[in-house]
Amino acid sequence: MRTHSFLTVLLWSSVFYVVHMTPSQKRTNKHSHSESITGLSENDGKTLHRTKRGWMWNQFFLLEEYTGPDTQYVGKLHTDQDKGDGNLKYILTGDGAGSLFIIDENTGDIHAAKKLDREEKSLYVLRAKAIDRKTGRQVEPESEFIIKIHDINDNEPKFTKDMYTASIPEMSGVGTSVIQVTATDADDANYGNSAKVVYSILQGQPYFSVDPETGIIKTALPDMSRENREQYQVVIQAKDMGGQMGGLSGTTTVNITLTDVNDNPPRFPQSSYQFSSPESAPPGTSLGRIKANDPDVGENAEIEYSISNGDGSDMFDIITDKDTQEGIITVKKHLDFENKVLYTLRVEATNTHPDPRFLQLGPFKDTALVKISVEDIDEPPVFNKPWYLIEVDEDAKEGSIIGQVVAQDPDVAKNAIKYSLDRHTDLDRIFNIYSGNGSLFLSKPLDREETPWHNITVIATEINNPKQSSQIPVFIRILDINDHAPEFANYYETFVCENAKAGQLIQTVSAIDKDQPPRGHKFFFELAPEFAVHPNFSVVDNKDNTAGIMTRRNGYSRSKTSTYLLPIIIFDNDYPIQSSTGTLTIRVCACDSRGNMQSCSAEALLLPAGLSTGALVAILLCIIILLVLVVLFTALKRQRKKEPLIISKDDVRDNIVTYNDEGGGEEDTQAFDIGTLRNPEAREESKMRRDVIPETIFQIRRTAPLWENIDVQDFIHRRLKENDLDPAAPPYDSLATYAYEGNDSIANSLSSLESLTTEGNQDYDYLSDWGPRFKKLADMYGGEDSDRD
């Protein structure tokens, strides 16, 4: 018989329980022996006997958060193989072995080395074994046991949020749910009341209450008004141990806001308002603002303003400013002080989003009286039309009156009116106006084909107050007259075949006319009188503004006549009748049997029959090459460097040369040779002017040398007179500055300040014909007093 020994563990708990354990693995043997586990109970030691081979270690308990001075004793490992000679070694493995739980390897005593926290870990699984120190072999199989941590109330309830935010409509009934708060306790809910939480309210009464079990916060007072108080702060406490004494607690804050409902109607702070408006205020002008107060907020405070009645409901309007909830009173129509000076309005303010629950509180609107007085001002003249349309024939004579505009002062004073044209709308000064009566007349002839419409602006100004003026557009339509003759619509390249038959159509011609008769164009075609009976061709009018050119004989010969000129007269049907003669060139060409042109050149008949197409191409290429060489040679000759106008680099003076265009300014030193001034002898040489290439070579007239005369002024005068009397001198427009100030001009001053004649006796219309350079002077002196630039 073989004898087996088993590991016996003596487990001493902190409350001195006897713990029975079973090995995690079963061992089987043919022979069974009784074995024992020896442990100490709270009173005395007892010997327990068992007869089973298979062991199961029961769990045992250990209090958390132990604060004693010594380590907490857990239990003892022991085997019947231990003879007490220190030959066996006890080893503990598993959760926390060596750190939380330590074992005396000689005695097998197990201790808890640290405080244990059930909330961190509630149970530990450990394994124990005994090893022979000499052989290193296990004397007992490894066994497993569980240590469970007993909970104590060491955690207070904690809310899921440190602060809650909630809202509820004002005027809510009692018991209306606001929000639910939740607190959790980390203690063991299955062990005692450590995790049983009860809610209570510490701050916020008597407005709110809390359900002790669910944590739902409810209203406790009826009809709470946001306008009286909007914010509430409620403090809720959560206490464990069922709320009993000694329980731990935690708190949270709930911020509750009363949201607005439309329970207040708008009210005007005063019953009447006074405003004023000048009579010149245009429609849409803001006169003032009124506001009805509504203690509600948001859309509940939105107000719509309207005019309910009053004698000014047609003249004024009121709109709502959505941002400020104010009513803006505006002008709806033009006011007239002379017609009415005071208006009365009844303005109504209404909530746009009334709440049906509170309609019993009264009408959600209010009214106020608004008085508006009209102020008299000096108004500008008023035309009797918003615009004018004038039609005038394009052959109207200069000075003829084409129309009239009428304006008057709307004020009681009825000041006199002066009319003028805005010259920015009539730059060509085609029209003018009589300042006294507003009659428009022509200053220049009209041309419909050049400008069919003219849009000008007439200005009416009060004579006593020139600041008061108004403008009116005048549209002038130029009516067409028949002043242009019709002409061929295109350039026609007409040919006739040598083998043409009599009566054959060789060309269809049409005409155009720049005029635009009201009934449309109608043209007539016929041969010129001297060709009325033409032996070769005839003209057939198609009565549709086209004509056909017909042959009158059979066969034509290029060798005899290669080209025919056919004059055709074109008439229109407007008054006065206009006509023109167009000459049609008809070439005689060789054609095939189908009438397709093959050749129209008479020289082609003289070419030798043996000259091929390749030879013609070669001749053409040679001609092109010769032309290119001639062009290159001409271009090279033009690029030759010209002699500089100024011989000395130090001789630099300001020259102004006028060629009726923009010059080079001070840098243009090539325009005039000033060497003559510095060296009179050089003038005697036959030097040509180099600022312009003369078209003809003329004879230079010799004069007596003047270098003996040292008077420069006399020298200049002599040369000026000489050139003025020289008929061969070209008419160069040039101005040479010699840095010399001479005597007064023989033309005296050009200023009109010292003129003996009045401006009215002088005619400056000729300035308009001098071109764009004198446009400014023409605008200043050429217009009437009534014109405005």
Side-chain angles (χ1 to χ4, degrees), residues 73-89:
Y73 185 72
V74 179
K76 183 179 181 65
L77 290 179
H78 185 72
T79 180
D80 56 359
Q81 298 294 329
D82 189 358
K83 306 301 182 182
D85 54 3
N87 191 33
L88 294 180
K89 179 181 179 181

Side-chain angles (χ1 to χ4, degrees), residues 196-269:
K196 186 176 181 181
V197 178
V198 175
Y199 301 95
S200 61
I201 185 168
L202 300 182
Q203 177 182 324
Q205 294 174 329
Y207 307 104
F208 299 95
S209 63
V210 63
D211 189 294
E213 295 183 358
T214 61
I216 298 176
I217 301 175
K218 302 178 181 179
T219 58
L221 285 180
D223 300 333
M224 287 190 293
S225 177
R226 183 199 63 84
E227 289 74 29
N228 295 332
R229 182 176 177 182
E230 183 178 3
Q231 299 288 339
Y232 295 87
Q233 191 174 73
V234 179
V235 178
I236 303 298
Q237 174 185 267
K239 191 174 184 180
D240 60 11
M241 298 299 291
Q244 299 176 3
M245 294 293 293
L248 302 179
S249 64
T251 60
T252 187
T253 301
V254 183
N255 292 324
I256 301 176
T257 302
L258 295 184
T259 58
D260 185 58
V261 297
N262 194 3
D263 59 339
N264 294 281
R267 289 290 181 263
F268 283 105

Side-chain angles (χ1 to χ4, degrees), residues 357-377:
R357 297 176 299 172
F358 306 103
L359 291 179
Q360 71 276 4
L361 298 179
F364 279 74
K365 61 183 179 180
D366 194 15
T367 60
L369 188 66
V370 177
K371 296 181 180 180
I372 303 174
S373 58
V374 181
E375 299 176 351
D376 185 26
I377 63 169

Side-chain angles (χ1 to χ4, degrees), residues 17-300:
Y17 290 109
V18 178
V19 180
H20 300 272
M21 300 182 181
T22 303
S24 60
Q25 297 178 355
K26 293 183 178 181
R27 292 170 46 175
T28 60
N29 200 291
K30 296 179 181 180
H31 310 280
S32 70
H33 296 273
S34 63
E35 301 191 3
S36 62
I37 296 177
T38 304
L40 298 178
S41 66
E42 186 177 359
N43 300 321
D44 54 2
K46 293 181 180 180
T47 302
L48 303 177
H49 298 275
R50 73 180 182 122
T51 59
K52 290 185 178 182
R53 280 290 194 180
W55 290 45
M56 182 66 184
W57 297 79
N58 294 329
Q59 65 181 7
F60 65 95
F61 300 92
L62 193 65
L63 288 178
E64 68 170 335
E65 303 296 343
Y66 174 73
T67 57
D70 299 328
T71 58
Q72 194 174 5
Y73 185 72
V74 179
K76 183 179 181 65
L77 290 179
H78 185 72
T79 180
D80 56 359
Q81 298 294 329
D82 189 358
K83 306 301 182 182
D85 54 3
N87 191 33
L88 294 180
K89 179 181 179 181
Y90 296 95
I91 298 176
L92 185 65
T93 60
D95 296 339
S99 58
L100 295 178
F101 303 102
I102 57 175
I103 188 172
D104 189 332
E105 61 182 17
N106 295 321
T107 63
D109 293 329
I110 302 174
H111 292 81
K114 298 180 180 179
K115 290 193 302 182
L116 302 177
D117 189 353
R118 188 201 66 83
E119 286 71 34
E120 294 182 1
K121 193 174 181 66
S122 61
L123 60 87
Y124 297 85
V125 179
L126 297 170
R127 291 177 295 277
K129 59 183 177 180
I131 299 175
D132 192 331
R133 292 181 183 274
K134 294 180 180 180
T135 63
R137 298 176 60 185
Q138 289 186 199
V139 298
E140 291 289 345
E142 189 177 64
S143 299
E144 184 178 273
F145 60 94
I146 297 174
I147 301 176
K148 189 172 182 180
I149 309 302
H150 256 317
D151 181 47
I152 64 173
N153 190 18
D154 60 343
N155 291 280
E156 72 278 3
K158 291 185 178 179
F159 286 92
T160 55
K161 295 182 180 179
D162 293 335
M163 180 177 294
Y164 291 84
T165 301
S167 62
I168 185 174
E170 63 173 334
M171 310 299 289
S172 296
V174 176
T176 303
S177 177
V178 180
I179 192 175
Q180 183 179 15
V181 295
T182 303
T184 58
D185 196 318
D187 293 326
D188 191 356
N190 299 321
Y191 182 77
N193 294 327
S194 299
K196 186 176 181 181
V197 178
V198 175
Y199 301 95
S200 61
I201 185 168
L202 300 182
Q203 177 182 324
Q205 294 174 329
Y207 307 104
F208 299 95
S209 63
V210 63
D211 189 294
E213 295 183 358
T214 61
I216 298 176
I217 301 175
K218 302 178 181 179
T219 58
L221 285 180
D223 300 333
M224 287 190 293
S225 177
R226 183 199 63 84
E227 289 74 29
N228 295 332
R229 182 176 177 182
E230 183 178 3
Q231 299 288 339
Y232 295 87
Q233 191 174 73
V234 179
V235 178
I236 303 298
Q237 174 185 267
K239 191 174 184 180
D240 60 11
M241 298 299 291
Q244 299 176 3
M245 294 293 293
L248 302 179
S249 64
T251 60
T252 187
T253 301
V254 183
N255 292 324
I256 301 176
T257 302
L258 295 184
T259 58
D260 185 58
V261 297
N262 194 3
D263 59 339
N264 294 281
R267 289 290 181 263
F268 283 105
Q270 58 192 70
S271 59
S272 63
Y273 297 85
Q274 183 75 34
F275 297 99
S276 62
S277 172
E279 62 175 335
S280 61
T285 302
S286 174
L287 302 182
R289 293 171 176 252
I290 60 176
K291 183 176 182 180
N293 298 324
D294 191 332
D296 296 324
V297 295
E299 70 174 12
N300 297 321

Side-chain angles (χ1 to χ4, degrees), residues 8 13 108 130 158 163-164 174-175 215 235 253 255 271 289 338 345 477 487 495 562 565 621 677 706 720 752 777:
T8 303
S13 67
K158 291 185 178 179
M163 180 177 294
Y164 291 84
V174 176
V235 178
T253 301
N255 292 324
S271 59
R289 293 171 176 252
E338 290 74 20
L345 306 174
R477 179 184 179 185
E487 56 187 17
F495 70 94
S562 62
L565 300 179
L621 289 176
L677 180 64
L706 298 175
L720 288 175
S752 61
L777 288 176

Side-chain angles (χ1 to χ4, degrees), residues 475-765:
F475 307 105
I476 302 175
R477 179 184 179 185
I478 310 303
L479 300 179
D480 185 41
I481 63 170
N482 194 23
D483 57 346
H484 290 84
E487 56 187 17
F488 280 131
N490 300 298
Y491 173 75
Y492 297 99
E493 294 183 357
T494 307
F495 70 94
V496 60
C497 295
E498 288 183 307
N499 56 358
K501 303 298 182 181
Q504 181 177 340
L505 177 66
I506 62 173
Q507 183 70 61
T508 300
V509 297
S510 61
I512 58 174
D513 194 335
K514 295 181 180 180
D515 296 320
Q516 291 184 350
R519 296 184 300 273
H521 291 290
K522 182 64 177 178
F523 302 121
F524 304 94
F525 302 86
E526 64 180 32
L527 287 175
E530 61 269 22
F531 292 88
V533 182
H534 199 280
N536 297 305
F537 305 97
S538 64
V539 176
V540 178
D541 195 335
N542 297 327
K543 307 301 181 180
D544 60 353
N545 294 339
T546 63
I549 310 300
M550 312 293 292
T551 59
R552 296 194 61 184
R553 63 185 179 88
N554 296 327
Y556 296 87
S557 176
R558 282 185 295 168
S559 59
K560 293 182 180 180
T561 305
S562 62
T563 302
Y564 293 92
L565 300 179
L566 187 65
I568 300 175
I569 301 176
I570 308 173
F571 301 89
D572 59 20
N573 68 334
D574 206 354
Y575 180 82
I577 296 176
Q578 299 288 342
S579 64
S580 67
T581 301
T583 302
L584 190 66
T585 301
I586 304 175
R587 295 184 299 166
V588 180
C589 301
C591 302
D592 57 13
S593 59
R594 297 181 180 179
N596 297 322
M597 181 182 63
Q598 291 183 338
S599 175
C600 294
S601 176
E603 288 78 4
L605 298 174
L606 303 177
L607 292 176
L611 191 59
S612 62
T613 304
L616 293 176
V617 173
I619 294 173
L620 183 61
L621 289 176
C622 292
I623 295 174
I624 293 174
I625 293 174
L626 289 176
L627 290 176
V628 171
L629 292 176
V630 171
V631 171
L632 292 176
F633 180 74
T634 304
L636 291 175
K637 288 189 64 178
R638 291 183 177 181
Q639 291 181 357
R640 290 184 302 175
K641 186 176 181 182
K642 297 181 180 180
E643 179 184 0
L645 292 178
I646 300 179
I647 301 176
S648 174
K649 295 182 179 179
D650 297 333
D651 189 3
V652 179
R653 296 196 180 187
D654 296 335
N655 295 289
I656 300 176
V657 181
T658 302
Y659 296 101
N660 200 22
D661 59 359
E662 187 73 22
E666 295 181 356
E667 298 181 358
D668 190 0
T669 58
Q670 301 295 325
F672 193 82
D673 185 3
I674 61 175
T676 303
L677 180 64
R678 301 183 62 87
N679 185 8
E681 297 184 7
R683 176 62 181 86
E684 303 305 320
E685 299 178 2
S686 298
K687 290 187 177 181
M688 304 289 290
R689 291 188 63 168
R690 290 172 291 175
D691 52 352
V692 177
I693 299 176
E695 295 182 358
T696 59
I697 301 177
F698 52 86
Q699 184 68 26
I700 301 297
R701 194 159 51 87
R702 293 288 182 175
T703 58
L706 298 175
W707 57 84
E708 296 86 1
N709 189 353
I710 60 176
D711 188 354
V712 178
Q713 179 179 5
D714 182 61
F715 171 77
I716 294 174
H717 289 165
R718 293 284 299 276
R719 290 306 185 205
L720 288 175
K721 182 177 181 181
E722 180 183 48
N723 283 275
D724 290 339
L725 298 177
D726 188 359
Y732 297 117
D733 292 334
S734 59
L735 175 63
T737 302
Y738 297 102
Y740 177 82
E741 182 176 355
N743 295 330
D744 295 341
S745 172
I746 60 175
N748 295 324
S749 174
L750 295 178
S751 173
S752 61
L753 297 177
E754 299 177 358
S755 177
L756 298 178
T757 60
T758 61
E759 185 178 353
N761 296 331
Q762 299 187 29
D763 185 9
Y764 296 100
D765 291 341

